[in-house]
Amino acid sequence: QVQLVESGGGSVQPGGSLSLSCAIFGVRLDVYNIGWFRQAPGKEREGVACIGGWQDSTHYTNSVKGRFTISRDIAGNAVYLLMTNLEPNDTAEYYCSRERLPHRECTVATSANLGRLYDYWGQGIQVTVSS
C-alpha cells in the first residue's frame, strides 16, 4: 500500500530554518520521483521542489531557489525538505507526493498540471513563518 506521511512542520520567525520529512511506504525511491508542494490560504497548490528516482537530479520553483534543499534517504524510505531563510510568504500547508511516471527527470508541477503528473499524496502539514 502506498502511503506518504509528512512531519516536521511548525512555526518559525522570518529568516529561520525548518526541516520537513516525508516518510514513504510502498514506493521505491530509486525508481519514482517525489515532489514537495504547498498551498497557502486562498491560493492554488504549487510545486516547490522535486527529486528524481532513477537519477538524483533536483529542481525547484524560482521563489525558493537558493533557500530550499530537497534530499532523500533511499534506505530509510524518506524524502526531506530543508527550508532556510524563511519568509512570511512561505507560510502554507506543505505536501509530499509521488510523480506518476518513473525513469525521467522530475517535474516541479504547476497548479495546472500537478493533478496529471502526481498521483499519491500525503495529508499535508502546516508551516507558519511570522514575527
Side-chain angles (χ1 to χ4, degrees):
Q1 188 79 288
V2 175
Q3 186 177 11
L4 299 90
V5 182
E6 301 93 342
S7 63
S11 181
V12 297
Q13 296 182 347
S17 300
L18 195 65
S19 294
L20 303 182
S21 298
C22 178
I24 303 173
F25 306 88
V27 178
R28 287 186 57 172
L29 298 187
D30 59 347
V31 175
Y32 284 90
N33 306 331
I34 303 296
W36 280 99
F37 302 79
R38 66 186 182 187
Q39 186 168 19
K43 297 184 178 180
E44 295 181 310
R45 187 172 300 183
E46 64 174 344
V48 175
C50 68
I51 186 166
W54 71 276
Q55 61 176 249
D56 60 358
S57 60
T58 59
H59 299 282
Y60 301 87
T61 191
N62 287 336
S63 63
V64 309
K65 287 181 179 178
R67 300 190 299 119
F68 290 11
T69 302
I70 188 171
S71 62
R72 65 179 176 175
D73 181 351
I74 295 176
N77 298 103
V79 175
Y80 306 97
L81 185 68
L82 173 60
M83 303 180 292
T84 63
N85 298 314
L86 284 162
E87 305 169 353
N89 285 341
D90 294 320
T91 296
E93 193 85 0
Y94 282 73
Y95 303 83
C96 57
S97 181
R98 187 192 78 167
E99 191 165 2
R100 184 186 304 274
L101 298 178
H103 306 300
R104 62 182 64 197
E105 286 194 40
C106 69
T107 301
V108 180
T110 66
S111 61
N113 62 23
L114 62 85
R116 294 185 294 103
L117 298 179
Y118 288 80
D119 46 17
Y120 293 97
W121 294 80
Q123 79 288 348
I125 191 166
Q126 181 67 36
V127 171
T128 301
V129 184
S130 65
S131 59

